[in-house]
Amino acid sequence: MDLRENLKKIEEEAEQLFSRADSLEKLEELRIVFLGKKGKITDVLKQMGKMSPEERPVLGQAANQLKDKLNNLLSARKNELEEILQAKKLEEERIDITLPGTEIITGHLHPLTRITKEIEDIFIGLGFTIEEGPEIETEYNNFEALNVPKYHPARDLQDTFYIDDHYLLRTHTSPVQVRTMARQKPPIRIIAPGRVYRSDDIDASHSPVFYQAEGLVIDKDISFADLKGTIQLFVQSVFGENTRTRFRPSYFPFTEPSAEVDISCVICGGEGCRLCSYTGWLEILGSGMVHPRVLEMAGFDPEEYSGYAFGMGLDRITMLKYGINDIRLLYENDQRFLHQF
Ligand code: DAH
């Protein structure tokens, strides 16, 4: 019964190897080794010729039983392996829904652009239109037509970037007043934001490039009260309902009378703190009634028309609104700074 012994050994060996197989590929290899055409059981059957005729059917039956048994073991192990592999896959694919999400970094508006748009919207709501002018201006538009006298210090090389005798980098947005009046008859109601240049050294509150917004209103019967009401409304829209305004007499060549506008301090509300130098007030713009000479130079009769104008520093307003204490932050494009807005 040598061959039956062989079958027994094959059975034991197969049982062991099947249970240890750790992949479907490995299991398939084992199936070929034991049950394949050239496999171990076939090997035994090939040797049946040596046996007596009575013994052959007995061995044949035993071999068939072993085949069935091994097939069953294989498919059982296969199911087991499939389950293990599936569980492993699920574990790998597990999503931890308690993990914080990854921030999607999107582009957004620069704080100066945001303020500019906000201010534009406020004035559009009041019936103003947006105007633009070039950054390279004539000396005439930037100074002459605005009644800035020849000897005025603003005209000095130290303050103004001249390109030649005739052209310069505009030092304020006020020349847009001149351009608008040359093109348009009253009623005029414009707001003109834009970049301006001054030959200043850079520090926490000065930059040779900065932003302003100019306002100009010309019509019949425009009075200082219209200027006050408009500025008051503007200030409350940008800085909040409780912000107070104060008009302080001042001087600008292009307005008469002229006033500087202060708002109650955005930090202390008027109590006095470091930001407002313990005055309770912060200056935010210059304004006044358009000077009759400016109207005349534009070809408007000062007896028939009057108007008001104002000019504000957009950098300063941005800094006050967002609590930024250094103007350089607005121009350095440091992502750590910009991403806060
Ligand atoms: N242009 C002035 C400046 O740059 C600001 C200004 C003051 C503009 C009074 C005006 C105004 O229109 O009426 O300092």
Side-chain angles (χ1 to χ4, degrees):
M1 289 301 270
D2 204 19
L3 289 176
R4 291 196 66 177
E5 275 303 304
N6 279 359
L7 286 179
K8 194 75 205 146
K9 272 195 192 131
I10 289 170
E11 182 177 348
E12 279 164 15
E13 191 189 2
E15 275 174 355
Q16 266 196 21
L17 290 177
F18 288 3
S19 69
R20 280 192 223 141
D22 57 4
S23 73
L24 295 175
E25 293 75 31
K26 181 86 200 165
L27 209 58
E28 174 61 11
E29 275 171 27
L30 290 172
R31 189 190 66 76
I32 293 165
V33 169
F34 286 92
L35 296 162
K37 273 188 199 146
K38 293 174 183 164
K40 295 193 181 212
I41 296 180
T42 314
D43 271 354
V44 174
L45 289 174
K46 274 184 191 157
Q47 297 173 50
M48 269 201 315
K50 297 183 212 153
M51 301 180 91
S52 64
E54 306 84 67
E55 281 173 327
R56 278 181 209 166
V58 182
L59 185 82
Q61 203 185 5
N64 280 337
Q65 277 170 0
L66 181 57
K67 271 187 188 170
D68 286 347
K69 179 169 180 185
L70 294 192
N71 270 323
N72 288 339
L73 281 177
L74 275 174
S75 67
R77 181 61 185 159
K78 193 174 166 215
N79 287 342
E80 218 173 85
L81 267 179
E82 273 169 355
E83 260 173 47
I84 292 169
L85 292 174
Q86 177 69 8
K88 214 164 123 189
K89 191 168 159 225
L90 281 178
E91 181 59 32
E92 277 166 12
E93 286 175 357
R94 204 174 92 186
I95 293 167
D96 182 354
I97 56 165
T98 67
L99 272 179
T102 32
E103 187 194 357
I104 297 169
I105 297 171
T106 54
H108 59 281
L109 297 178
H110 189 281
L112 261 172
T113 312
R114 264 177 67 172
I115 286 287
T116 306
K117 287 189 179 293
E118 187 180 331
I119 291 174
E120 284 177 0
D121 283 348
I122 293 167
F123 283 100
I124 286 170
L126 292 171
F128 286 60
T129 52
I130 312 293
E131 279 296 333
E132 272 183 26
E135 290 167 26
I136 295 173
E137 258 300 0
T138 60
E139 184 169 37
Y140 179 82
N141 285 341
N142 196 82
F143 293 129
E144 205 72 41
L146 289 163
N147 196 35
V148 180
K150 277 261 184 294
Y151 54 82
H152 196 283
R155 292 212 185 190
D156 206 299
L157 267 173
Q158 285 195 328
D159 297 292
T160 304
F161 290 115
Y162 282 90
I163 290 163
D164 55 28
D165 287 348
H166 187 56
Y167 289 106
L168 45 73
L169 294 180
R170 65 179 180 188
T171 59
H172 50 182
T173 43
S174 302
V176 185
Q177 290 187 27
V178 178
R179 289 177 173 271
T180 307
M181 290 187 287
R183 218 177 23 226
Q184 210 179 311
K185 295 260 150 292
I188 290 173
R189 216 171 244 98
I190 59 125
I191 180 98
R195 196 156 27 190
V196 300
Y197 301 84
R198 277 183 210 174
S199 179
D200 279 328
D201 287 333
I202 301 173
D203 64 27
S205 50
H206 293 88
S207 161
V209 184
F210 59 104
Y211 285 81
Q212 285 190 338
E214 192 78 13
L216 176 70
V217 170
I218 296 175
D219 204 347
K220 290 177 175 159
D221 302 322
I222 296 292
S223 74
F224 204 95
D226 297 312
L227 169 64
K228 284 186 79 173
T230 305
I231 296 299
Q232 174 80 36
L233 192 139
F234 157 73
V235 162
Q236 287 180 327
S237 314
V238 174
F239 293 104
E241 283 293 310
N242 297 327
T243 317
R244 284 163 295 131
T245 14
R246 173 174 88 168
F247 284 72
R248 225 172 350 92
S250 186
Y251 171 78
F252 296 104
F254 28 91
T255 45
E256 180 59 35
S258 303
E260 274 171 329
V261 177
D262 298 338
I263 60 169
S264 50
C265 180
V266 294
I267 296 290
C268 64
E271 295 286 308
C273 68
R274 240 182 47 208
L275 179 66
C276 59
S277 306
Y278 300 94
T279 62
W281 297 96
L282 299 164
E283 186 198 318
I284 59 150
L285 59 82
S287 65
M289 300 308 291
V290 179
H291 198 293
R293 287 242 286 283
V294 172
L295 290 173
E296 262 166 17
M297 281 187 273
F300 300 156
D301 179 0
E303 297 296 325
E304 190 182 358
Y305 294 108
S306 57
Y308 64 80
F310 55 88
M312 61 183 93
L314 294 176
D315 304 78
R316 178 153 168 84
I317 292 175
T318 304
M319 289 166 74
L320 290 176
K321 172 129 182 176
Y322 293 123
I324 299 163
N325 59 13
D326 194 320
I327 193 171
R328 289 169 287 203
L329 288 165
L330 295 175
Y331 296 97
E332 284 167 349
N333 286 330
D334 186 327
Q335 294 296 308
R336 291 166 302 182
F337 167 75
L338 292 177
H339 264 295
Q340 299 172 63
F341 299 93

